[in-house]
Amino acid sequence: MRLRYFMRVAAGATALIAGLAAVPANADDAKLEALKAQGFARIAIANEPPFTAVGADGKVSGAAPDVAREVFKRLGVPDVVASISEYGAMIPGLQAGRHDAVTAGLFMKPERCAAVAYSEPVLCDAEAMLVKKGNPKAFKSYADVAKDQSATIGAPGGGTEEKLALEAGVPRDRVIVVPDGQSGLKMLQDGRIDAYSLPVLSINDLVKKANDPNLEVIAPVQGAPVYCDGAAFKKGDEALRDAFDVELAKLKESGEFAKIIEPYGFSAAAAMSTTREKLCAAAK
Ligand code: 6CS
């Protein structure tokens, strides 16, 4: 009796293992298969150099799209097609199926990690403020802006700098939503805002191109964390995210990751020194 029971269990187990073995490793990569068939991945970007940039000829560059393009190519998706979006609209656009991924320097924070499936870290940067030469209001932190009742600060809508300013106590009506870098620069130069805040490399890029001696960069903003982004995928597309991570890890390992991002001013070591898990658990 016992032998027959054992034989039945063994036969069942063998059939199960054979069945599993027949399932391809990436069986639930339906999304990846769809992107391969589509021939490109639709990425959301902000057009904020050096994170993301769209040239006059429409060519998409910047560290985040360049990494994404290389990873997708290795996954069998030949190219990326970008649409420009405000940071605050990127996650809703991803969730609504308008983008296949966000590769824009969208920094990992717990509330965003809860809403999307991030890859492992790609681009890290501290925060900066652009002010008039001489820093007339002596800003060093977002709290300094809060303390000065007359001070206003510009920041991207739905961006980390907007949130940091509000969390530091700057009232809503003194945090001015700015659509893009050139607008922020002009508003500061025209005296319509007292400071404009973006990540350090973005502010430095603006200053380099502005060629205006009457500007000063406060970097890093005291009390603001160093953030890192990852490529963001829709919840449910974890298999695609995992496949992205496998190729991203190979790029990091081979040194090609550094070759892509370091010419833009980013540190490969910074991204490789941390993880999605740590960044998604971080306080801010
Ligand atoms: O993740 C963000 O919200 C921020 N990331 C970048 C690259 N620029 C500004 C934005 O607020």
Side-chain angles (χ1 to χ4, degrees):
M1 182 58 174
R2 277 174 59 80
L3 178 60
R4 200 179 316 138
Y5 171 76
F6 171 76
M7 293 297 280
R8 247 205 339 266
V9 168
T14 307
L16 179 67
I17 290 163
L20 284 177
V23 174
N26 57 5
D28 54 352
D29 269 13
K31 179 72 180 182
L32 177 53
E33 293 312 311
L35 293 186
K36 285 179 182 174
Q38 184 173 264
F40 55 86
R42 298 168 301 156
I43 59 171
I45 68 170
N47 193 16
E48 181 188 302
F51 287 88
T52 59
V54 181
D57 58 359
K59 187 171 177 338
V60 174
S61 63
D66 284 3
V67 169
R69 187 182 288 112
E70 185 56 33
V71 170
F72 276 119
K73 204 161 65 178
R74 291 164 182 235
L75 289 173
V77 183
D79 204 358
V80 294
V81 171
S83 50
I84 294 175
S85 165
E86 188 184 70
Y87 288 100
M90 290 177 179
I91 290 178
L94 184 70
Q95 291 171 331
R98 283 195 294 278
H99 316 299
D100 300 313
V102 175
T103 61
L106 192 72
F107 292 142
M108 288 191 222
K109 299 191 292 180
E111 64 273 22
R112 287 175 173 173
C113 295
V116 301
Y118 268 113
S119 74
E120 288 298 331
V122 178
L123 305 175
C124 302
D125 200 1
E127 297 290 1
M129 276 192 224
L130 185 61
V131 294
K132 285 282 178 68
K133 189 86 183 151
N135 190 8
K137 289 183 172 273
F139 292 150
K140 293 189 187 66
S141 66
Y142 296 111
D144 290 341
V145 179
K147 277 182 253 171
D148 179 335
Q149 302 294 325
S150 68
T152 55
I153 182 167
T160 49
E161 300 76 22
E162 177 189 50
K163 196 154 185 335
L164 288 167
L166 294 168
E167 284 172 349
V170 184
R172 179 69 266 183
D173 63 343
R174 293 202 279 124
V175 182
I176 312 302
V177 172
V178 176
D180 56 61
Q182 288 308 317
S183 306
L185 175 67
K186 182 94 176 63
M187 289 168 76
L188 182 78
Q189 288 170 320
D190 295 350
R192 287 187 282 143
I193 51 178
D194 298 305
Y196 177 45
S197 189
L198 286 176
V200 174
L201 288 170
S202 306
I203 289 288
N204 288 347
D205 185 83
L206 273 180
V207 167
K208 195 171 63 189
K209 292 169 183 168
N211 193 19
D212 176 349
N214 190 29
L215 297 173
E216 184 166 333
V217 179
I218 309 297
V221 174
Q222 274 180 12
V226 170
Y227 287 107
C228 299
D229 87 328
F233 297 88
K234 188 176 175 180
K235 287 274 187 205
D237 287 345
E238 283 77 4
L240 175 61
R241 187 275 310 275
D242 294 345
F244 188 97
D245 272 344
V246 166
E247 296 308 324
L248 177 60
K250 289 179 193 168
L251 287 178
K252 287 179 175 179
E253 185 58 34
S254 69
E256 288 164 277
F257 173 70
K259 283 201 192 104
I260 295 172
I261 72 168
E262 294 193 343
Y264 285 106
F266 294 97
S267 156
M272 294 165 71
S273 68
T274 186
T275 63
R276 167 177 64 239
E277 190 183 4
K278 284 183 195 157
L279 293 163
C280 287
K284 282 243 182 246

